[in-house]
Amino acid sequence: MKAKLENLLAQAEIQLTDLQKDQLIQLVQLLHKWNKAYNLTSVRDPQEMLVKHILDSIVVSPYLQGDRFIDVGTGPGLPGLPLAIINPTKQFVLLDSLGKRISFIRNAVRELGLTNVEPVLSRVEEYQPEQKFDGVLSRAFASLKDMTDWCHHLPKENGYFYALKGIYHEDEVQELDKKFEVKDVITLHVPELVGERHLIVLR
């Protein structure tokens, strides 16, 4: 699996330490193990997880501005856990309303020795953080309108929303409240992934 990860990282021009690579592989192994009992993801093959979960998460890293992020509807910690592994100086809150997902994340944080992740079991609209965030992340979550409606209380004054999407739909943008603007639509390159990937940045 290490060779496969090295190859994917080289294609994506992402440089990581050996520790970070080992942690990403360990995360896939944990996900694979827990998946058998808890059905956390529809992706069953660990090699596929490297592409569809790990690379698909970390390609957004260069675009994140700030130090404090929340991943809403994180599921089994995607993109939050891979991003936390490769950005040890940034802080990540991983929020989900399903207990089994948060249990998995707590276990992964412990096993991987991560000190920059806080798992939170809550519905996003009920979560009131003591401190706001530089960025609100979501991957395969809701529509842009739902994301901004439910999460409007989470970013700082000058914070951003980062929506990880497949195909970019212009009509989703039309539905947004006028107080939100699209700052950027970035086409992402995920090696060996079939289909389009976009990062939509809102503020």
Side-chain angles (χ1 to χ4, degrees), residues 143-200:
S143 68
L144 293 177
K145 180 168 174 24
D146 285 347
M147 181 189 180
T148 48
D149 285 354
W150 297 341
C151 306
H152 64 89
H153 59 298
L154 297 175
K156 290 178 180 168
E157 184 84 9
N158 54 354
Y160 292 97
F161 293 92
Y162 298 93
L164 286 72
K165 293 275 187 183
I167 296 167
Y168 172 58
H169 292 292
E170 182 68 45
D171 53 347
E172 265 198 69
V173 175
Q174 306 300 330
E175 292 171 5
L176 284 170
D177 189 302
K178 291 290 173 270
K179 65 183 176 199
F180 298 105
E181 61 167 331
V182 176
K183 291 295 288 181
D184 216 347
V185 178
I186 299 153
T187 303
L188 300 168
H189 169 60
V190 183
E192 298 184 28
L193 186 76
V194 178
E196 292 180 34
R197 280 288 181 274
H198 290 90
L199 177 66
I200 299 164

Side-chain angles (χ1 to χ4, degrees), residues 7-202:
N7 181 17
L8 291 168
L9 291 170
Q11 289 182 64
E13 298 181 355
I14 295 171
Q15 291 181 326
L16 301 179
T17 66
D18 285 340
L19 171 64
Q20 288 167 336
K21 290 173 194 168
D22 291 343
Q23 285 175 316
L24 289 173
I25 287 168
Q26 202 183 341
L27 175 58
V28 168
Q29 290 166 339
L30 284 171
L31 196 49
H32 182 58
K33 186 172 116 183
W34 275 62
N35 211 25
K36 292 172 180 156
Y38 292 97
N39 200 20
L40 297 167
T41 163
S42 59
V43 181
R44 297 281 173 222
D45 175 18
Q47 301 277 349
E48 252 189 275
M49 286 180 187
L50 282 175
V51 175
K52 291 184 174 170
H53 290 336
I54 302 300
L55 262 290
D56 195 44
S57 294
I58 64 178
V59 290
V60 303
S61 185
Y63 307 105
L64 301 182
Q65 295 181 35
D67 303 307
R68 190 172 148 74
F69 297 89
I70 182 167
D71 176 9
V72 294
T74 183
L78 302 166
L81 284 174
L83 286 171
I85 287 169
I86 71 165
N87 293 288
T89 59
K90 298 183 191 293
Q91 296 297 315
F92 291 86
V93 169
L94 273 53
L95 181 136
D96 204 276
S97 58
L98 260 191
K100 66 178 183 180
R101 294 174 181 160
I102 294 298
S103 295
F104 168 74
I105 293 166
R106 285 192 183 121
N107 178 262
V109 166
R110 199 168 50 243
E111 299 257 337
L112 299 171
L114 300 176
T115 55
N116 60 334
V117 174
E118 181 193 341
V120 173
L121 178 61
S122 173
R123 292 171 59 87
V124 64
E125 54 271 43
E126 289 162 9
Y127 176 61
Q128 296 296 333
E130 288 173 21
Q131 195 185 346
K132 306 264 186 181
F133 298 92
D134 295 310
V136 178
L137 289 152
S138 81
R139 176 177 182 262
F141 182 56
S143 68
L144 293 177
K145 180 168 174 24
D146 285 347
M147 181 189 180
T148 48
D149 285 354
W150 297 341
C151 306
H152 64 89
H153 59 298
L154 297 175
K156 290 178 180 168
E157 184 84 9
N158 54 354
Y160 292 97
F161 293 92
Y162 298 93
L164 286 72
K165 293 275 187 183
I167 296 167
Y168 172 58
H169 292 292
E170 182 68 45
D171 53 347
E172 265 198 69
V173 175
Q174 306 300 330
E175 292 171 5
L176 284 170
D177 189 302
K178 291 290 173 270
K179 65 183 176 199
F180 298 105
E181 61 167 331
V182 176
K183 291 295 288 181
D184 216 347
V185 178
I186 299 153
T187 303
L188 300 168
H189 169 60
V190 183
E192 298 184 28
L193 186 76
V194 178
E196 292 180 34
R197 280 288 181 274
H198 290 90
L199 177 66
I200 299 164
V201 184
L202 307 167

